[in-house]
Amino acid sequence: MKKPFVGLNRYQIGWPPLGWAYLYLDFGLLKNMSHQEALTKLEAMGYEPSLRLKQTADGIIPCALLKVVELDDPTSPDSPFEDIIEMLQIAFDGAVRSPSGRPKGYLRNIGLDPENLPAIAEEELEPVG
């Protein structure tokens, strides 16, 4: 089953389509803080988190969608969140993810099989940036 893009289903997080990226907090990866504490911290940082669900081989994991952006250049290796990702990773002990929809050629060049993206997403890729 192919995962939907967040813009097509207001409840789920899936792999973004070509030319889009998003930033989210994976509650399943949180350490040393409750879900409510994380939401409160995100709101204090100026975010308006939208709760989503991520389906993995192990079950359903709650997430907080923080931002969805259209990429200026889908072939660029630069993350649209590079100015904030490091700070968020520190604040939330590595529980922030930022997948980007890239062309198949780009994904093959960095060693990913574009036909296997749902499985790759379940393996929790390290965030870009």
Side-chain angles (χ1 to χ4, degrees):
M1 179 168 88
K2 192 169 189 160
K3 293 185 179 186
F5 171 55
V6 294
L8 301 178
N9 184 315
R10 63 185 180 144
Y11 300 113
Q12 293 181 311
I13 284 187
W15 196 268
L18 179 63
W20 291 86
Y22 55 80
L23 185 68
Y24 71 92
L25 176 68
D26 185 325
F27 287 115
L29 299 174
L30 277 178
K31 302 172 192 151
N32 304 320
M33 79 174 63
S34 70
H35 297 180
Q36 184 59 51
E37 289 170 328
L39 288 171
T40 301
K41 189 173 188 174
L42 286 168
E43 289 170 348
M45 296 170 91
Y47 290 97
E48 295 178 9
S50 171
L51 295 180
R52 303 292 172 126
L53 300 174
K54 180 175 71 170
Q55 188 172 0
T56 70
D58 297 328
I60 295 177
I61 299 170
C63 300
L65 180 65
L66 305 177
K67 199 168 188 180
V68 177
V69 297
E70 188 170 8
L71 300 172
D72 292 332
D73 179 4
T75 62
S76 171
D78 297 333
S79 168
F81 307 113
E82 65 185 50
D83 57 334
I84 57 173
I85 191 77
E86 186 175 345
M87 181 236 354
L88 287 171
Q89 288 294 37
I90 292 168
F92 295 98
D93 289 329
V96 175
R97 297 291 181 249
S98 61
S100 299
R102 305 290 185 171
K104 289 182 179 186
Y106 171 86
L107 294 172
R108 284 189 188 99
N109 285 343
I110 63 169
L112 298 179
D113 177 4
E115 306 307 321
N116 197 24
L117 282 180
I120 292 169
E122 290 173 6
E123 292 172 11
E124 288 307 322
L125 290 175
E126 286 301 311
V128 176

